[in-house]
Amino acid sequence: MQSLKILMLCSAFGLGTSIPASASSSIWYNSEGGQVRLVTSGKPDEAGRVQGVLDIALKPGWKTYWRDPGDAGVPPQIDISPSTNVASAAFSFPPPQRHDDGYGKWAGYDHPVSLPVTFTLSAADQPAIIVADVFLGICETICIPVQTRLTIDPASDADNAKDAAQVKAAFAALPAPPRPDFGVNVLPGDHETLIVEASFPGDPEAADFFVAGERDYMFGAPLRSQKDGKLVFTVPILDRPSTTPTDGGLHYTLTSADGAVEGLLPFP
């Protein structure tokens, strides 16, 4: 989305800082396209993990991005380095939707969405204060970068039933692991294409495939075709690292009328 690049370079609109909160959720940060806050629930588990969500209350007509925003957007980002006793924070993503804004096709959400986030404490038995610098794009006809600092003491209201229910629902809505009858199989491609065969329940017209450009990969929108009665997605590889990584893989999500799965693909 070229308009997002222009706004990011030319304007500081959307910058803000929240005051510290004395509860397991932060105060709302208000932007032109909606509101953003952090919510946590419960005490850390034995591994020192605290579950939470980035709660994005979009106004009607506004959208925000999935983990891969296409060739001109920005994915949601979180920096917890100002925190006390917090080692890391990792987003998970509910199933996205395909959008076309006239500049390109990209993956995201056109409704209020809670992005699950897992905070890992440095020491599970020590107090923690989450101070998170959050950055994301919220888009209508143009995209506006939203940047704010959200602060939480997750132990101050760890038994809050409303917060617990919201966090539980967000994690429950994540895509399931792939299975033999619902997932993808990588087919032979070439240096410029990633090709997968999809298996899924329900109507083929409702199915869609999303792959995240990571480790210097960049992908175009997938093309749909049929092969031996199977739905095949051919994804253009727009850019790739000079050397193919040998560890990890690429995150993908396969959506259908009956749910979604996610997993990792080998690097093409």
Side-chain angles (χ1 to χ4, degrees), residues 10-191:
C10 299
S11 173
F13 190 94
L15 300 178
T17 303
S18 73
I19 61 173
S22 59
S24 57
S25 61
S26 74
I27 66 168
W28 286 101
Y29 171 71
N30 295 304
S31 74
E32 183 176 348
Q35 297 178 300
V36 178
R37 66 171 181 163
L38 276 174
V39 179
T40 58
S41 174
K43 298 176 182 178
D45 62 16
E46 293 182 355
R49 294 174 300 222
V50 175
Q51 290 187 330
V53 297
L54 179 64
D55 193 7
I56 307 171
L58 295 171
K59 292 180 181 178
W62 289 76
K63 307 174 185 69
T64 193
Y65 293 108
W66 184 57
R67 65 166 76 241
D68 184 334
D71 62 355
V74 289
Q77 300 170 40
I78 186 167
D79 175 14
I80 45 76
S81 57
S83 302
T84 300
N85 191 33
V86 183
S88 65
F91 279 123
S92 299
F93 291 86
Q97 305 158 311
R98 187 82 57 192
H99 297 282
D100 187 344
D101 63 2
Y103 297 98
K105 295 180 180 180
W106 52 280
Y109 312 96
D110 61 1
H111 51 78
V113 62
S114 292
L115 301 182
V117 55
T118 301
F119 299 96
T120 301
L121 306 189
S122 301
D125 60 345
Q126 298 296 317
I129 300 294
I130 297 171
V131 182
D133 291 324
V134 173
F135 182 75
L136 68 156
I138 295 181
C139 317
E140 192 186 31
T141 54
I142 60 173
C143 279
I144 295 183
V146 173
Q147 185 171 345
T148 186
R149 174 168 288 186
L150 304 172
T151 303
I152 294 176
D153 175 1
S156 65
D157 194 13
D159 297 321
N160 187 303
K162 185 176 180 180
D163 289 349
Q166 180 174 1
V167 172
K168 182 178 181 180
F171 275 85
L174 291 175
R179 57 182 195 256
D181 64 335
F182 196 178
V184 299
N185 178 40
V186 179
L187 301 180
D190 55 39
H191 198 72

